[in-house]
Amino acid sequence: MSVCAIEKTTAVPFTIAADGSYAARLAGDGEARYPERWTLTGPEPYAVPLPLAQPEDADSEVLPLADGRVLIHRRVAERHAFALLYPTGGGFGDDAGTGPRTGELQLGAIAPEDAQGGPEGVRVLLLPPSPDGHGAFALAVGATATTVWQVAGTPFGPERVARIPGRCSGGVWLDRTGRLLALDRELDGPEGPVTKAVAVDLGRGGEVSPLLQITESSNDRLLLADPDSGLLLIRSDAPGELRLGWGVLGSARPVRFPECLRAVGATATPFAVQPGQALMPESCGVALRVDEAGDGYGGNVAGLALWRPADRHVFRLGAPAGWLGGTGLWSAEGRLHLPYATPEVPCGFLGMNLPVAPPPPIRLEPLPAPAARPIPLQQAPLG
């Protein structure tokens, strides 16, 4: 296992396509922001900047598609606009040979009235890349309802595909087709708001079904899922305090909260699961980002943790220098790849293997008491 310099690093949003072919981030500093696409296929990754005439706002979101285009979400006045960016090759005339230029395809926008609420009361966020690699979805969260929008892969601009009562967050795909989406839904209960993970079937008009309900009053959130093995990574306060746990999709067995994950911290965020482990959730490697302040995405990344459900041991590592987004890509062969950018290496991937966990301690049971030996008849007391 090779490790570059270790330091605390700030989490910068960095999104990897579902098939691992491309990635995208908002590069640059201050007011000079521009989208950047990384190509991850081939022997070495390389980055292509996608600047336009006007710099991007720091709160713009980017998401890579499997065909190499990059979706960008911008806030334009009170509207949420979406477009596809792509390199077009060199310029023409005097601009010929000056390097790649950026093409832009406008997809449309979501207006405040379309988002089911006023502009102050609605947040619009991109969901993780769709498993099919071609569509892209966004979440519009209002005060009393949440709308799922398909913003790429539709013929006539953003299209509303589901409306869910309650305030939703998160977003985890449960299958390889992009039909089943898990969301953490918050509803008002008799003792205050309660959050439960629900499954939304986008193929049936947004039909909602319960997914996690460990106890009636617990807050149960789904953090990550692996469709191959069915492994689910969960954060819940059902044990009496906020804990990380794991379960299996469709299994009747209860959610387990390993003691070894308690030491990592309940606010650690799993970001990658080893794929290809069909029906073997206990064998999947899991990578977790450990944030310094425990505030989730955007804080200082203090370290990395590696774990496997079958083991009772968590490996704690420092955060690699320049680690982007506190994310990564885990191959089916068991190798974890972490993206990083430093002045010396502006586009790099650090590879590491999951170390072998130490064997569980051997418990030496006390020897059993010797059985009573029979007394010879000639030595037995008289009746």
Side-chain angles (χ1 to χ4, degrees):
M1 178 176 65
S2 60
V3 180
C4 60
I6 303 300
E7 62 177 24
K8 293 179 181 177
T9 182
T10 301
V12 178
F14 184 92
T15 307
I16 302 174
D19 64 352
S21 56
Y22 295 96
R25 66 165 178 152
L26 205 61
D29 297 313
E31 298 182 356
R33 304 270 184 164
Y34 60 91
E36 184 179 75
R37 187 196 72 185
W38 287 32
T39 300
L40 306 182
T41 55
E44 294 291 338
Y46 65 91
V48 175
L50 298 172
L52 293 169
Q54 183 176 350
E56 305 292 346
D57 293 332
D59 60 352
S60 297
E61 295 181 289
V62 292
L63 184 146
L65 302 184
D67 59 7
R69 295 182 295 178
V70 173
L71 175 75
I72 185 166
H73 164 217
R74 305 182 179 103
R75 181 73 178 264
V76 181
E78 302 301 337
R79 298 165 64 86
H80 295 268
F82 302 89
L84 290 175
L85 307 179
Y86 52 92
T88 60
F92 298 95
D94 295 337
D95 293 332
T98 58
R101 299 174 64 88
T102 304
E104 183 175 15
L105 175 63
Q106 298 291 339
L107 298 178
I110 300 176
E113 57 271 18
D114 297 330
Q116 303 293 329
E120 323 64 40
V122 174
R123 295 182 299 114
V124 177
L125 302 169
L126 289 179
L127 286 169
S130 174
D132 65 6
H134 303 289
F137 296 82
L139 210 60
V141 186
T144 59
T146 301
T147 307
V148 179
W149 289 81
Q150 185 170 357
V151 296
T154 62
F156 304 110
E159 177 182 332
R160 187 187 294 111
V161 294
R163 188 174 186 273
I164 303 106
R167 300 171 294 275
C168 295
S169 60
V172 176
W173 295 103
L174 298 175
D175 63 350
R176 293 293 185 190
T177 65
R179 174 174 173 171
L180 294 178
L181 173 68
L183 296 172
D184 299 327
R185 181 172 67 172
E186 180 186 275
L187 293 174
D188 293 325
E191 299 181 0
V194 177
T195 301
K196 301 287 185 184
V198 296
V200 182
D201 191 339
L202 302 182
R204 302 185 64 176
E207 182 178 279
V208 179
S209 58
L211 182 62
L212 285 178
Q213 188 165 346
I214 302 177
T215 69
E216 186 174 347
S217 60
S218 60
N219 294 285
D220 310 318
R221 293 175 172 85
L222 180 63
L223 305 179
L224 203 60
D226 175 48
D228 294 336
S229 64
L231 177 66
L232 304 178
L233 280 304
I234 296 157
R235 180 180 288 128
S236 174
D237 58 5
E241 60 178 341
L242 207 58
R243 295 276 298 271
L244 289 175
W246 70 280
V248 180
L249 184 64
S251 173
R253 299 185 64 183
V255 174
R256 280 149 281 187
F257 297 92
E259 192 65 26
C260 60
L261 288 182
R262 190 177 189 178
V264 177
T267 56
T269 304
F271 62 86
V273 175
Q274 181 183 354
Q277 307 297 305
L279 304 179
M280 295 190 299
E282 294 88 354
S283 302
C284 293
V286 179
L288 302 98
R289 184 183 73 245
V290 182
D291 295 325
E292 181 180 37
D295 57 356
Y297 212 53
N300 288 329
V301 180
L304 167 71
L306 303 178
W307 167 75
R308 182 185 288 114
D311 300 332
R312 299 180 181 179
H313 183 82
V314 175
F315 292 92
R316 293 290 302 270
L317 304 172
W323 187 16
L324 294 175
T327 186
L329 179 67
W330 209 315
S331 68
E333 294 75 25
R335 192 159 179 81
L336 178 65
H337 301 272
L338 304 178
Y340 69 96
T342 63
E344 298 78 18
V345 184
C347 176
F349 253 69
L350 170 68
M352 62 176 65
N353 295 321
L354 178 63
V356 178
I362 300 175
R363 300 179 60 183
L364 298 177
E365 301 291 346
L367 295 176
R373 299 180 64 182
I375 300 176
L377 183 60
Q378 60 271 24
Q379 298 178 12
L382 298 177

